[in-house]
Amino acid sequence: MAVIRYTDAEVALLARLMRAEAEGEGKEGMLMVGNVCVNRVLCDCLDFRDIRNLTDMVYQNPGGFEAVQKSYFYQRAREQDIALSRRVIAGQRFWPATYGLWFFRPAASCPPTWFNQKLSGRFKSHCFYQPTPKDCPRVFDF
């Protein structure tokens, strides 16, 4: 069962974004990016109010993803990436992105906060940040 609404086109869109943002981090890294994406659709808080679907989330401007500006993002989704996309849409979560709304790849160590949100952890090159339950209760609901 899915935790957010989606279309088949959005499953592929999310798969392309996950690949473009984190292919170098392997399947686990791509799944964590997918967690952040699904959380942004779920949360309706902070910078992500009125994000109602995966398309809104992917193309949010400002505040979206740098990958959508790169040609790599526009390649066709591979079946293996679509399978990963379906896993996060179904609600599978992976630490440290479990409740994350932000991630980025710093040149050095992870700062303790990002956009005023606390560091939840690092996976390979990406740092993940999550809101508090008070700021974004819906992220913690399912």
Side-chain angles (χ1 to χ4, degrees), residues 112-129:
T113 60
W114 184 255
F115 291 99
N116 297 317
Q117 304 306 308
K118 186 178 174 183
L119 174 69
S120 57
R122 183 176 195 136
F123 181 79
K124 294 187 179 181
S125 298
H126 283 97
C127 304
F128 292 87
Y129 296 83

Side-chain angles (χ1 to χ4, degrees), residues 22-139:
E23 183 175 34
E25 308 286 304
K27 289 179 183 178
E28 288 176 285
M30 291 170 61
L31 287 164
M32 290 176 202
V33 165
N35 283 159
V36 168
C37 295
V38 169
N39 288 343
R40 287 182 178 190
V41 175
L42 282 169
C43 73
D44 197 26
C45 64
L46 302 173
D47 296 334
F48 309 105
R49 294 193 186 283
D50 300 320
I51 302 293
R52 299 292 181 241
N53 56 52
L54 289 165
T55 302
D56 290 348
M57 180 274 307
V58 169
Y59 295 111
Q60 181 185 6
N61 189 12
F65 296 93
E66 187 176 317
V68 300
Q69 300 169 15
K70 312 284 184 192
S71 61
Y72 190 66
F73 168 75
Y74 292 94
Q75 294 179 8
R76 199 171 101 160
R78 302 177 303 188
E79 286 303 317
Q80 64 203 37
D81 304 328
I82 289 171
L84 296 177
S85 177
R86 290 188 186 285
R87 288 176 65 183
V88 295
I89 290 170
Q92 289 186 5
R93 288 179 156 178
F94 304 88
W95 184 88
T98 307
Y99 305 111
L101 291 178
W102 295 270
F103 66 88
F104 84 110
R105 185 179 188 163
S109 62
C110 298
T113 60
W114 184 255
F115 291 99
N116 297 317
Q117 304 306 308
K118 186 178 174 183
L119 174 69
S120 57
R122 183 176 195 136
F123 181 79
K124 294 187 179 181
S125 298
H126 283 97
C127 304
F128 292 87
Y129 296 83
Q130 70 183 41
T132 65
K134 181 181 175 193
D135 287 337
C136 291
R138 291 184 64 191
V139 171

Side-chain angles (χ1 to χ4, degrees), residues 5-15 53-56 58 85 89:
R5 292 182 189 168
Y6 65 92
T7 65
D8 287 341
E10 287 177 319
V11 172
L13 180 66
L14 178 59
N53 56 52
L54 289 165
T55 302
D56 290 348
V58 169
S85 177
I89 290 170

Side-chain angles (χ1 to χ4, degrees), residues 1-4 6 89-91:
M1 184 168 146
V3 296
I4 58 172
Y6 65 92
I89 290 170

